[in-house]
Amino acid sequence: MTTDHTRALFDEVSRSGYYPEIVAEGLRDALADELVRGFVLHHEPTFDRDEIRRHMTVLALTPSRLVLVHTDEHPGDDLLPKPYTSTTSEAVALDQVRSVVVTRMVTSNSKQLEEALLTIGWGAVSRVELEPARCSDPECEADHGYSGSLTGDDFSLRLAAAGDGGAAVERLLAFARTLSAATAGRSS
């Protein structure tokens, strides 16, 4: 039996106080009435010169999809002269998720979990890193072209106990376990 966390997700969006109606509307549209098996919500301020801007990322796992909703706030600009928000949603079929990478940062002395990084790849975005190719001759001045790597870079979320709280880091890890089980074809 799968537990439905839909109500808890919308309650947490409301408690965040960050444009709750706008974030909830984006979530409702993206979820398409599917139940929520797990979620992570990250509300983060960013510092932009003299201003603080906030943004929120929500990851929700349904029985068939991974849903990502991200909301930013913006100052007025040439296109929209008044401050505004933008909300972007993406829904990825679970069978399209290629990788779930979890990195845990734990202090050596106390074994305390300090940070966790969740990276999810489904092949939509890749990052190319190039560097000049070299040969083993230290005196060689020939152009050997470039070598590099192509890395999947669809989505990453890093939470730290110092900034987000230890419970937030644990929730990220719990979500990662639920997502890993779902992409392996098992419910958690």
Side-chain angles (χ1 to χ4, degrees):
M1 169 152 181
T2 302
T3 303
D4 183 4
H5 297 282
T6 306
R7 179 89 172 147
L9 170 57
F10 283 96
D11 287 348
E12 192 163 330
V13 166
S14 182
R15 275 193 307 277
S16 79
Y18 179 76
Y19 301 104
E21 297 85 14
I22 294 169
V23 174
E25 184 176 344
L27 271 170
R28 272 192 295 280
D29 290 347
L31 289 171
D33 294 326
E34 280 192 281
L35 64 90
V36 175
R37 293 172 49 193
F39 70 91
V40 172
L41 184 145
H42 184 237
H43 179 206
E44 178 180 31
T46 56
F47 300 93
D48 183 16
R49 289 177 240 156
D50 297 340
E51 297 178 298
I52 297 175
R53 295 201 204 301
R54 301 173 301 157
H55 60 112
M56 181 180 287
T57 302
V58 180
L59 299 176
L61 181 63
T62 75
S64 66
R65 299 174 304 139
L66 171 65
V67 173
L68 298 92
V69 175
H70 185 82
T71 301
D72 285 305
E73 60 185 0
H74 308 275
D77 55 32
D78 293 340
L79 184 60
L80 295 170
K82 294 181 181 178
Y84 63 97
T85 63
S86 62
T87 299
T88 304
S89 62
E90 183 169 6
V92 180
L94 287 178
D95 64 359
Q96 296 299 307
V97 174
R98 295 180 183 169
S99 63
V100 178
V101 181
V102 178
T103 304
R104 292 172 176 81
M105 283 63 88
V106 178
T107 55
S108 300
N109 55 354
S110 69
K111 308 290 190 259
Q112 177 69 34
L113 177 65
E114 296 296 334
E115 295 185 18
L117 171 64
L118 170 63
T119 302
I120 307 166
W122 55 91
V125 178
S126 295
R127 178 174 26 120
V128 176
E129 293 185 22
L130 296 175
E131 62 184 37
R134 304 193 193 292
C135 70
S136 59
D137 180 1
E139 301 297 319
C140 181
E141 293 183 18
D143 182 354
H144 295 285
Y146 289 88
S147 66
S149 62
L150 180 65
T151 307
D153 197 20
D154 291 311
F155 179 81
S156 291
L157 180 59
R158 183 178 198 144
L159 297 181
D164 302 297
V169 176
E170 292 294 342
R171 283 193 303 272
L172 180 64
L173 293 174
F175 180 82
R177 282 189 293 276
T178 302
L179 177 59
S180 289
T183 59
R186 299 185 321 270
S187 296
S188 67

